Amino acid sequence: LTQRALGRSRRAIEGAAFLIADCNLPRSSLQWLHQCAKQSGIPFLVEPVSAVKVEKLNAILRRGAAIHTVTPNLQQLAALTGRDLRSLEATQQAARMLHDRGVLNILVGLGAEGALLSAVEGDGVRQHHIPAAQAKPQDVTGGGDAHVAGYVAGLVGGMRVLQAAMLGQAAAGLAVGSTETVSRKMSMKSLTNSLSALKRRVKEL
């Protein structure tokens, strides 16, 4: 997916409700998509993929870019910020560093511990711990992808960021709770039922 290949689909891209890219893309393609999103006023999410590939995202952030959401795990967040993340407090501070670099929302995957959402709201930052929706995972493959998909589905459907993040965690729970590549239980009804149970367990930090 080169910049030239993306350019041939520019009209479709500019008509998107939301753009998602990951750091498997060439750096030039990632930068092109970000610029396209910025010019068209489209929310842009970047999934870092790995602690090595986050350098492509860092290249965008060094240019003073504004990004709607970044979805790292702990290792990727540590690589982005150069911090040792051995505590939840350190993770919270690292997320704030990304806010200072132009990221509005950081959704940090914490594995079996769920996720941390750090979001700019008004003149401040609110942070929430969202527990894992699945206590006994069967296969963790695809859990992160499901988390991102559920989160974006929530946002496109009109949810606030926190509610969307809970929907994402619900999707991750369904994904890792199944040995199938895609859980047969994956439906909006199942996700909203799981979201309702998660609401009672979410903690503001």
Side-chain angles (χ1 to χ4, degrees), residues 52-158:
V52 173
K53 294 176 181 178
V54 295
E55 178 52 33
K56 298 175 186 178
L57 173 57
N58 258 332
I60 293 178
L61 296 176
R62 282 195 292 267
R63 300 169 69 181
I67 295 177
H68 185 281
T69 301
V70 172
T71 56
N73 61 23
L74 284 174
Q75 292 76 20
Q76 294 156 9
L77 181 60
L80 277 168
T81 60
R83 302 294 292 268
D84 184 358
L85 306 181
R86 297 188 182 184
S87 68
L88 182 59
E89 292 76 15
T91 304
Q92 290 177 253
Q93 186 56 40
R96 287 179 179 274
M97 290 175 66
L98 290 189
H99 289 313
D100 292 340
R101 299 176 66 191
V103 183
L104 291 177
N105 305 287
I106 299 99
L107 187 57
V108 186
L110 303 176
E113 299 302 315
L116 167 71
L117 173 67
S118 187
V120 173
E121 293 190 14
D123 295 330
V125 172
R126 295 185 69 184
Q127 296 182 322
H128 292 83
H129 175 248
I130 304 169
Q134 176 57 252
K136 296 180 179 180
Q138 301 295 313
D139 183 354
V140 298
T141 304
D145 292 335
H147 195 188
V148 172
Y151 171 70
V152 174
L155 292 175
V156 172

Side-chain angles (χ1 to χ4, degrees), residues 140-178:
V140 298
T141 304
D145 292 335
H147 195 188
V148 172
Y151 171 70
V152 174
L155 292 175
V156 172
M159 290 183 176
R160 293 181 178 273
V161 170
L162 176 58
Q163 190 177 16
M166 287 189 282
L167 192 75
Q169 191 57 244
L174 283 180
V176 303
S178 173

Side-chain angles (χ1 to χ4, degrees), residues 14-38:
E14 289 177 338
F18 206 104
L19 280 179
I20 306 168
D22 72 30
C23 289
N24 282 314
L25 289 171
R27 182 180 302 186
S28 60
S29 297
L30 198 60
Q31 292 174 338
W32 185 92
L33 281 169
H34 172 260
Q35 191 63 27
C36 187
K38 183 178 178 180

